[in-house]
Amino acid sequence: MTFSPVTPRRARRVSGITTVAAVAVWTATGCSPPPPAEEPTGSAAERAWTIAVGEHPLDQTIANVYALALNSRDTPAVVETSDRGPGDVVTAGESDLVIGRSMALARELDPEAFGELEQPSSAELLGVIEDSLDEDAQLLEPSSAVLGSSLVITTVTAQLNEIATEGEVDDPAFAAACDELRIGVRPDLPEPGPLLAEIYDCEPAEIVVAEESELINDVITAELDAAIVTTSHPGIEEQALIALTDAERAFPQEQFVPVVSAEVAEEVPGVAVELAQALNEDALVTLRRLVDGEQALSPQEAAEYWLVQEGFVAEPEDWG
């Protein structure tokens, strides 16, 4: 992957932190300033770890968070986008580190065990992954953020159907209106029809599968009446949508999971654990917002901004 550093102009637009201010804080607290996240070059680039990740912008941002933090701890790493499933990459042993979502990993590593989970929790998904890994791979600490699902509607839809503006999907008013609703779902979820019918007594008039950004837009423009999206999606707050929580967990809860090759497992710096703990729900909302929309940063730029804000790496000198 070719890294594109944040330019001073863009850094000033999103950062608001200055090197002088940051140094003052470190001096006052007695802490050492964080190391810079420098792109590996020369011999370091030749021995750099490869971090495989899918094409979703948020997934790529998380991978860049790990890569930049590892680089700052003298562990050269580069991100490589893979169009293969994370489970395939893990079993093929093609990369030193794989960043994937726990549901996709569990489904690919052990389809039978995954299929036996009727309403998998995040802990159950991690259990399937850990049990499926052989001695060539090791599960690192997953992100503290748990990606749940919400069914989002507009205030107009809520008012027309008398659905509580702060409620849950099992609201009787939602079930009563469901057979007339067009509901969109993101493509990585299990078949939603049976789950909605069994758990929420909901049989929608139509179910449409599309990416989350498209689903949010279709709800806003009334092409859809509702959509099932990740709870942490920034579009929910930005568009003032009502999010009905999936209280009965009809849909899986997942986490970002790093899987490392056994060959380098003992060399993983402690910062990997710190990153997993820092990647909470608020962090994911921030990162998604940075890579979304017309003024979006690249995944590497967003990762660097977040790492600087969280104190993991030093602010680049060219940020001004």
Side-chain angles (χ1 to χ4, degrees), residues 17-34 308 314-315 317:
I17 295 180
T18 67
T19 303
V20 173
V23 170
V25 171
W26 297 322
T27 302
T29 58
C31 298
S32 300
V308 170
E315 179 179 344
E317 293 181 0

Side-chain angles (χ1 to χ4, degrees), residues 54-69:
E55 298 179 350
H56 192 285
L58 180 59
D59 297 49
Q60 292 201 352
T61 303
I62 300 297
N64 274 282
V65 163
Y66 277 86
L68 291 172

Side-chain angles (χ1 to χ4, degrees), residues 220-246:
I220 297 167
T221 58
E223 294 294 325
L224 292 172
D225 300 300
I228 300 170
V229 299
T230 308
T231 302
S232 61
H233 196 290
I236 298 175
E237 180 180 348
E238 292 169 358
Q239 301 299 332
L241 296 174
I242 295 170
L244 304 179
T245 59
D246 180 22

